[in-house]
């Protein structure tokens, strides 16, 4: 809060970040009474930060959770602030393309390449650019990367390309690329942008492959060509994936709350001691 | 006049039975974000509808040019075309934001917050891609040109998203008043609610979960 009062303190990069933070806090209506009440109740129950709606403002501001440095940025993207589980990014790709483990793996690799290219370009060339030109830069970068990947796949693995269908080009504008570039890479150095890209794509890959495993098992009865063929077509419908992602998110949120509680109780013990 | 029935069927199919959000999850990244902001979502929905109409028209034009020129499909069936649509959308966005910021700066400031997320999302790029996929099957009953069909497709996609936003915003309002387990509050309950709605919509489309 003290940062809000004195946005002119600190080096230039921090000042820019603070200004952005203040603007975002004003723009996001995170002061809604309902959320405040709920978070107060949760605090009374010993849980902190259980609603993502509140976290969104902090998330956009680029504040780190897992400590400073490259490793902190990486852990943040990979698990502590997982793009799918805590921020609902890249859901359409998971819904469309993650119905078998092979496709999920391919999509994850493509996301890694595209996100790395887009974040690096944004961080290297567009840190001082205006919003429209910055957006154009990273959308076109990811589009170009996808064009190259599509060309390569058409030459080497045409069947996989055909099975990905419309979801390969959609990676270029998925929230995973646009939000990460807009909220992180546009305000940070290339090294951090690289760590963020790798961490986020690995975090995406873990969730994507986990969902693909369940969907493939229920949809075909076989995983990695093992098991008995058995069909439950509901697994290929979007509602199955939505509910699955919801349950995974609830689990992740529960584990995060547990971790927070453990941390705060450890702090209390050390304060009392 | 012969085509009215076909257009109506197309609109109802795209709004309800094959709602792009519930049946394919397109645009879910932005919709899940916007639904928590009731002040913005009408603005967002209207801009999104305008954008899906424009992108469907662009897609139709690019498809027609590609058909007329008999372009070779260099990299996959959709990738090359999708990038062409995307480049057109980017040029359109740059032009519109440039013109608005210069000549209608007050209006631009009002929509500046939602314009980028309403333009660069999977729904706006997905609409022309699906149109080019559906073109041989959904639009076959038409006697004349299917240009109007493309416009109606884009409009219905946008209205379908607005409909989904209204449904989910109402649901979110109800969840705010409820006492939920802490692990489920926030994102998880939204996902599960969307999943149940998607289940209902797959019923409208006539799908069977167990065959």
């Amino acid at each position: 809060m003290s940062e809000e009062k004195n946005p002119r303190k600190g080096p230039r990069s921090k000042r820019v970040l603070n200004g952005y933070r203040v603007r975002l806090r004003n723009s996001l209506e995170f002061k809604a009474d309902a959320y405040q009440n709920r978070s107060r109740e949760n605090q009374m129950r010993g849980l902190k930060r259980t609603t993502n709606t509140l976290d969104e403002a902090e998330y956009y501001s680029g504040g780190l959770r897992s400590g400073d440095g490259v490793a902190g940025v990486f852990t943040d993207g990979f698990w502590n602030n997982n793009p799918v589980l805590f921020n609902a990014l890249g859901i359409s790709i998971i819904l469309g393309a993650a119905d078998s483990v092979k496709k999920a793996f391919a999509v994850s690799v493509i996301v890694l390449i595209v996100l790395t290219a887009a974040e690096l370009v944004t961080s290297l060339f567009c840190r001082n650019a205006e919003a429209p030109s910055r957006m154009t830069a990273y959308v076109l970068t990811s589009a170009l990367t996808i064009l190259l990947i599509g060309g390569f796949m058409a030459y080497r693995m045409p069947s996989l390309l055909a099975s990905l269908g419309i979801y390969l080009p959609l990676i270029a504008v998925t929230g995973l690329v646009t939000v990460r570039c807009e909220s992180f890479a546009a305000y940070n150095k290339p090294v951090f942008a690289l760590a963020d890209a790798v961490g986020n794509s690995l975090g995406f890959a873990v969730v994507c492959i986990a969902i693909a495993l369940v969907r493939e098992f229920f949809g075909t009865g076989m995983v990695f060509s093992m098991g008995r063929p058995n069909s439950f077509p509901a697994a290929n419908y979007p509602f199955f994936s939505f509910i699955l992602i919801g349950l995974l998110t609830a689990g992740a949120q529960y584990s995060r709350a547990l971790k927070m509680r453990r941390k705060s109780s450890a702090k209390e013990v050390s304060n009392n001691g | 006049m012969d085509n009215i029935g076909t257009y109506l069927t197309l609109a109802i199919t795209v709004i309800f039975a094959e709602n792009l959000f519930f049946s394919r999850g397109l645009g879910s990244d932005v919709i899940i974000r916007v639904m928590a902001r009731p002040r913005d979502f009408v603005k967002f929905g209207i801009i999104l509808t305008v954008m899906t109409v424009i992108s469907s028209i662009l897609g139709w034009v690019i498809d027609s040019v590609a058909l007329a020129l008999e372009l070779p499909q260099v990299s996959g069936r959709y990738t090359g075309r999708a990038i062409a649509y995307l480049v057109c959308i980017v040029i359109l966005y740059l032009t519109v934001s440039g013109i608005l910021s210069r000549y209608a700066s007050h209006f631009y400031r009002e929509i500046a917050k939602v314009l980028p997320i309403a333009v660069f999302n999977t729904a706006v790029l997905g609409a022309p891609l699906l149109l080019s996929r559906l073109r041989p099957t959904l639009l076959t009953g038409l006697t004349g040109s299917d240009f109007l069909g493309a416009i109606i497709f884009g409009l219905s996609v946008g209205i379908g998203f607005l409909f989904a936003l209204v449904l989910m915003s109402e649901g979110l309002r109800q969840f705010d008043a409820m006492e939920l387990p802490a692990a489920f509050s926030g994102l998880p309950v939204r996902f599960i609610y969307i999943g149940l709605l998607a289940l209902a919509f797959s019923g409208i489309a006539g799908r069977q979960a167990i065959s």
Side-chain angles (χ1 to χ4, degrees):
Chain A
M1 287 296 140
S2 62
E3 294 161 353
E4 261 186 56
K5 282 174 192 166
N6 302 316
R8 300 212 162 267
K9 260 189 177 176
R12 195 184 165 277
S13 60
K14 271 203 169 173
R15 255 187 286 148
V16 171
L17 190 65
N18 280 336
Y20 184 65
R21 204 177 272 173
V22 172
R23 257 184 287 135
L24 264 161
R25 283 205 180 153
N26 294 338
S27 66
L28 290 167
E29 300 167 343
F30 76 104
K31 281 181 182 168
D33 288 344
Y35 295 121
Q36 273 196 345
N37 286 342
R38 179 133 35 81
S39 97
R40 215 171 291 144
E41 280 168 23
N42 287 335
Q43 275 184 359
M44 276 155 65
R45 276 192 263 166
L47 295 170
K48 275 182 188 172
R49 279 189 186 163
T50 42
T51 53
N52 293 64
T53 334
L54 254 178
D55 274 7
E56 202 166 29
E58 289 171 24
Y59 167 65
Y60 270 124
S61 70
L64 297 178
R65 296 245 171 74
S66 322
D68 294 325
V70 175
V73 175
F74 176 82
T75 329
D76 226 39
F78 179 64
W79 187 250
N80 289 347
N81 206 0
N82 190 291
V84 183
L85 295 180
F86 295 115
N87 299 292
L89 300 173
I91 302 294
S92 49
I93 305 300
I94 290 185
L95 248 68
D99 54 1
S100 72
V101 178
K102 192 181 162 196
K103 273 166 79 176
F105 187 73
V107 163
S108 307
V109 174
I110 294 167
V111 164
L112 175 68
I113 298 169
V114 171
L115 190 60
T116 310
E119 284 211 33
L120 274 183
V121 166
T122 315
S123 179
L124 278 174
F125 304 114
C126 311
R127 262 192 287 169
N128 297 320
E130 294 266 316
S133 47
R134 188 171 63 222
M135 278 163 200
T136 310
Y138 60 72
V139 167
L140 286 184
T141 308
S142 49
L144 188 69
T145 322
I146 286 198
L147 196 62
L148 294 177
I149 294 171
F152 174 75
M153 283 174 77
Y155 177 59
R156 295 302 291 268
M157 31 192 150
S159 63
L160 187 64
L161 181 67
S163 70
L164 285 179
I166 66 165
Y167 292 97
L168 175 63
L170 285 183
I171 293 175
V173 284
T174 182
L176 193 61
V177 175
T178 53
V179 170
R180 286 323 299 170
C181 288
E182 188 62 24
S183 68
F184 191 87
Y187 300 93
N188 288 293
K189 286 180 187 166
V191 187
F192 292 115
L194 185 67
D196 184 67
V198 175
N200 272 288
S201 356
L202 288 184
F204 173 83
V206 167
V207 181
C208 188
I209 290 172
I211 287 171
L213 261 174
V214 179
R215 277 177 75 179
E216 193 175 3
F217 178 71
F218 280 104
T220 62
M222 291 159 55
V223 178
F224 300 120
S225 337
M226 286 185 292
R228 239 178 351 167
N230 173 30
S231 146
F232 179 58
N236 291 325
Y237 292 153
F239 70 83
F240 188 83
S241 316
F242 270 128
I243 293 175
L244 203 63
I245 296 173
L247 293 177
L248 273 181
T249 314
Q253 209 154 268
Y254 182 72
S255 79
R256 186 203 251 186
L258 217 64
K259 211 171 167 187
M260 290 272 190
R261 204 158 19 165
R262 223 173 279 157
K263 228 182 226 176
S264 62
S265 63
K267 213 182 253 175
E268 271 173 28
V269 168
S270 67
N271 283 346
N272 293 337
Chain B
M1 286 305 270
D2 303 339
N3 295 336
I4 284 180
T6 319
Y7 290 140
L8 213 61
T9 320
L10 176 70
I12 290 173
T13 312
V14 175
I15 294 174
F16 296 108
E18 283 287 335
N19 188 311
L20 250 61
F21 176 60
F22 290 118
S23 72
R24 289 169 199 275
L26 295 186
S28 49
D29 297 335
V30 280
I31 281 187
I32 290 173
R33 254 143 231 290
V34 169
M35 69 194 256
R37 293 188 255 162
R39 268 190 221 160
D40 281 346
F41 85 75
V42 175
K43 247 187 268 173
F44 170 81
I46 291 167
I47 299 174
L48 188 70
T49 310
V50 173
M51 279 314 296
T52 48
V53 172
I54 293 173
S55 71
S56 299
I57 294 171
L58 281 176
W60 187 86
V61 171
I62 290 171
D63 277 5
S64 305
V65 170
L67 271 178
L69 294 179
E70 294 176 358
L71 289 178
Q73 294 177 347
V74 184
S75 59
R77 202 171 149 211
Y78 296 109
T79 318
R81 273 187 210 180
I83 304 309
Y85 304 149
L86 195 59
V87 171
C88 289
I89 292 169
V90 166
I91 293 169
L92 187 78
Y93 168 72
L94 282 179
T95 322
V96 168
S97 63
I99 290 173
L100 281 183
S101 63
R102 178 163 287 191
Y103 296 109
S105 55
H106 182 70
F107 178 66
Y108 179 69
R109 234 175 290 139
E110 222 166 69
I111 62 166
K113 211 164 60 181
V114 287
L115 188 64
I117 55 169
V119 173
F120 296 118
N121 60 49
T122 43
V124 172
L125 185 60
L129 282 169
L130 280 174
L131 180 68
S132 77
R133 198 169 172 185
L134 295 179
R135 210 167 160 183
T137 55
L138 254 184
L139 303 174
T140 42
L142 303 179
T143 48
S145 146
D146 50 9
F147 180 65
L148 195 59
I151 296 177
I152 288 177
F153 178 84
L155 199 62
S156 324
V157 168
I159 292 171
F161 274 104
L162 208 52
F163 175 61
L165 267 174
V166 170
L167 269 182
M168 288 191 302
S169 168
E170 181 56 29
L172 197 67
R173 213 165 57 81
Q174 302 278 340
F175 290 134
D176 277 349
M178 272 183 217
E179 179 78 10
L180 289 167
F184 276 90
S185 69
L187 262 189
V189 76
R190 287 188 215 178
F191 275 126
I192 290 171
Y193 178 59
I194 296 169
L196 294 179
L197 280 177
L199 177 59
F201 274 87
S202 71
I204 296 178
R207 288 173 179 152
Q208 288 177 325
I210 297 169
S211 60

